[in-house]
Amino acid sequence: MITIDLLNHKSHSDIPSEVSINLNEAIKFIFKAKKATVLTGAGISCNAGIPDFRSSDGLYNLVKSKYPKNIVRGQDLFDISLFRDELSLSLFCTFMESLYQSSLKAEATETHKFIKLLKEKNKLLRCYTQNIDSLEKSIDLNMGINLNEFNDSKTFNQSWKNLDVIQLHGNLHKLSCTNCFTNFDWNEKYRHQLANGLNPECAECYRKYEERLYSGKRLTGNIGILRPDIVLYGEHHPQADILAQGLNVDLRARPDLLIVMGTSLKVDGVKKLVKSLSASIHSKGGKVIFVNKTPLSKQWDSYIDYEILSDCDNFVKILKKEIPDLFLTQEQLDSKKLKNSIKESLPVIKKEKPIKKESSSTSNKIIKQEKKVTKIKQEIKKENIESALSSSSESDLDEALTPPITPTKIKKRPALKRKTSNVDNMANKKLKYELPTPLSSFNDDIIEIASEDFNSTGLRTLTRSEMNQHYNSTRLKQEVA
């Protein structure tokens, strides 16, 4: 048996590494279980406002302090010997009516909801409880053995499997007759009588009594009294045969996990139940987990695998943190899978590492260093400018200081067209008839001719090309004339 003490740690982060490893192993078996059985005691109802029976502020000690002469031991409050004394019986009735009122005000705890969750996840084979408060019924768990449904052996297995919670010690919310065992619901008349320490008479026994009386038959038997339908110490369980047969049905189903919560395992019948379930579970390779504030004795080392010392509701909260998928509905799981598939399909974007915030002293040092660097840079720039000014001439400085002129488009000046004379126009015209040039009769010697266009000298030396032009122009003049 591995002991995991969680009582001395305020938060889950304060748990040592070795303890955390063992705790994670136990949680893993809960998550992987397919057929889980649960055994609960008064410890799971303490957070609902119902005191337990064995702690310092439990019901036993409260009754002892109130009636020290009448109650020798706390166990005597639920002992069958109470019915031998009228005073102790009246105390029993008063106490049961107040316990019934507190159960009506109580609400299901996180542990009760965890049992409902196991059912919704199809992991719960059966829940056995020592409690008589019936808080499981407030969260729609099927409980309560109806004797009429279990009379037929053919339908026994199906009727047993329809039950979620098996009440090993009876049901406080029902009243039963001590003579005919007929069940009755609480009403205002019965509550008033029990609060005053009186046991109501059984209406069914009284009806049978009147029938025999009016029919003239011999009167047999007594009229029974009503009390809460719970099993007292030293009393034979009226449903013992049904419980034994139903337990065999669960053992044949071969459960793979047993979680014991909120009980110290002091009752003989509960001890046998845990031992038989533990043997069946270990044969399949399953585990037995014990969760309670008080530790177990060494006799349980071979039956319990993990002993977790913790409040039951706190342990359920740890389960929510470690295995959150177990507490999600099927719709929530489907949406989570869809989101994960979308994230996997998207490209991975690397996130920049966050800049660590530095202390005020280090930040001030960095600012001072940055100011020094900027000053040094400014001084270097000034020195470079001064050295450049000293080495350069005035013209260079003027060019350097004058801003650059933005380039402009060069505008083309309009070209002046020269007026052509009539002679040029006539030269450009093509003649209808071309005469052979007589220049072939001239030699290459230079010819001197006189013309009106010449200056006062009257003579000019012409080249061959000029002579040709002069010849062509004189010919045109003649043709025009």
Side-chain angles (χ1 to χ4, degrees):
M1 182 171 63
I2 299 173
T3 301
I4 303 171
D5 190 359
L6 303 179
L7 294 174
N8 298 324
H9 304 288
K10 294 181 180 180
S11 61
H12 186 58
S13 59
D14 297 336
I15 301 174
S17 58
E18 295 181 358
V19 178
S20 180
I21 291 170
N22 294 330
L23 178 62
N24 290 332
E25 288 179 355
I27 292 173
K28 181 179 69 175
F29 288 113
I30 295 174
F31 182 72
K32 291 185 176 181
K34 295 181 179 179
K35 293 181 181 180
T37 52
V38 183
L39 173 64
T40 60
I44 72 167
S45 297
C46 293
N47 293 332
I50 299 176
D52 63 355
F53 302 114
R54 300 184 184 279
S55 61
S56 59
D57 56 348
L59 293 177
Y60 284 169
N61 292 324
L62 290 175
V63 174
K64 275 185 182 182
S65 61
K66 193 172 183 179
Y67 305 101
K69 296 181 180 180
N70 300 94
I71 304 297
V72 180
R73 296 180 305 164
Q75 186 176 349
D76 293 341
L77 185 61
F78 292 93
D79 197 281
I80 190 64
S81 60
L82 287 169
F83 287 84
R84 298 172 186 171
D85 186 4
E86 291 184 0
L87 179 61
S88 60
L89 181 59
S90 63
L91 293 175
F92 171 77
C93 293
T94 303
F95 174 72
M96 283 297 157
E97 197 276 334
S98 62
L99 183 61
Y100 172 73
Q101 286 185 2
S102 64
S103 66
L104 292 177
K105 299 175 182 178
E107 295 180 357
T109 63
E110 293 293 328
T111 307
H112 292 95
K113 295 175 183 177
F114 172 67
I115 298 170
K116 175 68 179 298
L117 177 70
L118 293 177
K119 179 193 174 182
E120 292 175 348
K121 297 289 183 178
N122 295 323
K123 289 177 175 287
L124 181 66
L125 177 64
R126 209 79 58 220
C127 175
Y128 304 91
T129 183
Q130 297 175 257
N131 299 334
I132 59 177
D133 48 40
S134 300
L135 288 179
E136 295 86 356
K137 193 173 183 179
S138 63
I139 53 176
D140 298 329
L141 288 174
N142 190 13
M143 61 191 308
I145 295 175
N146 187 357
L147 296 177
N148 295 328
E149 295 179 358
F150 289 89
N151 289 333
D152 190 0
S153 60
K154 293 181 180 179
T155 60
F156 181 89
N157 289 350
Q158 187 60 38
S159 299
W160 179 264
K161 291 177 181 178
N162 290 335
L163 291 175
D164 300 320
V165 181
I166 307 299
Q167 294 173 301
L168 299 175
H169 294 166
N171 184 4
L172 178 63
H173 289 249
K174 290 286 185 180
L175 298 175
S176 66
C177 176
T178 57
N179 184 35
C180 66
F181 303 106
T182 304
N183 288 332
F184 296 87
D185 293 326
W186 287 71
N187 56 30
E188 290 297 327
K189 179 182 177 181
Y190 295 155
R191 289 181 61 178
H192 181 72
Q193 289 177 337
L194 289 168
N196 293 325
L198 300 174
N199 288 97
E201 290 185 347
C202 175
E204 185 64 20
C205 289
Y206 188 76
R207 184 184 64 79
K208 291 180 180 179
Y209 173 79
E210 287 183 338
E211 286 181 357
R212 296 183 70 85
L213 180 63
Y214 294 146
S215 62
K217 295 181 180 178
R218 185 173 60 90
L219 299 177
T220 58
N222 299 320
I223 298 174
I225 58 175
L226 300 183
R227 66 176 178 90
D229 188 20
I230 61 176
V231 181
L232 302 176
Y233 292 110
E235 183 182 22
H236 177 72
H237 201 301
Q239 301 171 350
D241 295 337
I242 297 174
L243 293 177
Q245 189 175 349
L247 177 60
N248 290 327
V249 173
D250 291 342
L251 292 176
R252 286 194 296 269
R254 301 191 67 187
D256 55 1
L257 178 68
L258 171 62
I259 307 176
V260 181
M261 307 182 78
T263 176
S264 56
L265 299 180
K266 298 291 184 181
V267 182
D268 291 337
V270 175
K271 288 181 181 180
K272 294 178 182 179
L273 175 64
V274 172
K275 290 178 181 179
S276 59
L277 284 172
S278 176
S280 176
I281 289 169
H282 285 156
S283 65
K284 194 181 178 181
K287 299 295 179 181
V288 179
I289 300 173
F290 175 84
V291 183
N292 198 30
K293 289 183 178 180
T294 56
L296 293 172
S297 60
K298 294 183 179 180
Q299 65 174 337
W300 293 102
D301 288 350
S302 59
Y303 299 102
I304 306 295
D305 297 299
Y306 295 94
E307 180 189 39
I308 302 174
L309 302 180
S310 171
D311 179 78
C312 294
D313 287 349
N314 290 339
F315 177 70
V316 174
K317 292 177 182 178
I318 292 173
L319 291 180
K320 286 184 178 180
K321 292 181 180 179
E322 296 297 325
I323 46 176
D325 288 351
L326 182 63
F327 294 83
L328 297 178
T329 62
Q330 189 61 40
E331 293 180 357
Q332 292 172 338
L333 288 172
D334 293 339
S335 63
K336 185 179 179 180
K337 290 179 181 178
L338 181 61
K339 289 180 181 179
N340 292 333
S341 61
I342 293 171
K343 286 181 180 180
E344 290 177 357
S345 61
L346 293 174
V348 179
I349 300 173
K350 293 183 179 180
K351 294 183 179 180
E352 294 182 357
K353 294 182 179 179
I355 300 171
K356 294 182 180 179
K357 292 184 178 179
E358 298 177 349
S359 60
S360 60
S361 60
T362 55
S363 62
N364 292 330
K365 288 180 181 179
I366 292 169
I367 293 168
K368 289 179 180 179
Q369 289 177 357
E370 289 179 352
K371 288 182 178 180
K372 286 181 180 180
V373 171
T374 52
K375 284 182 180 180
I376 292 168
K377 287 181 178 180
Q378 289 175 359
E379 290 175 359
I380 292 169
K381 286 181 180 180
K382 287 180 180 180
E383 290 178 358
N384 293 333
I385 293 168
E386 289 175 358
S387 61
L389 290 171
S390 61
S391 61
S392 60
S393 60
E394 293 182 359
S395 61
D396 294 335
L397 291 174
D398 293 336
E399 291 178 357
L401 294 175
T402 54
I405 299 171
T406 55
T408 57
K409 292 183 179 180
I410 300 170
K411 295 182 179 180
K412 292 183 179 181
R413 293 181 179 179
L416 296 175
K417 293 184 180 180
R418 179 183 172 188
K419 291 184 179 181
T420 57
S421 61
N422 293 327
V423 177
D424 295 331
N425 291 329
M426 293 301 293
N428 292 329
K429 290 181 179 180
K430 290 184 178 180
L431 300 175
K432 295 181 179 180
Y433 302 97
E434 291 184 359
L435 298 174
T437 59
L439 294 178
S440 59
S441 60
F442 295 93
N443 52 12
D444 294 332
D445 297 335
I446 298 173
I447 300 172
E448 293 180 358
I449 60 173
S451 176
E452 298 175 352
D453 299 331
F454 298 155
N455 51 16
S456 58
T457 55
L459 293 176
R460 181 168 173 264
T461 303
L462 298 175
T463 61
R464 182 177 292 275
S465 60
E466 290 176 347
M467 187 178 64
N468 290 332
Q469 290 178 1
H470 179 72
Y471 175 77
N472 291 329
S473 63
T474 55
R475 192 181 63 177
L476 288 171
K477 288 178 181 181
Q478 290 176 359
E479 289 179 357
V480 169

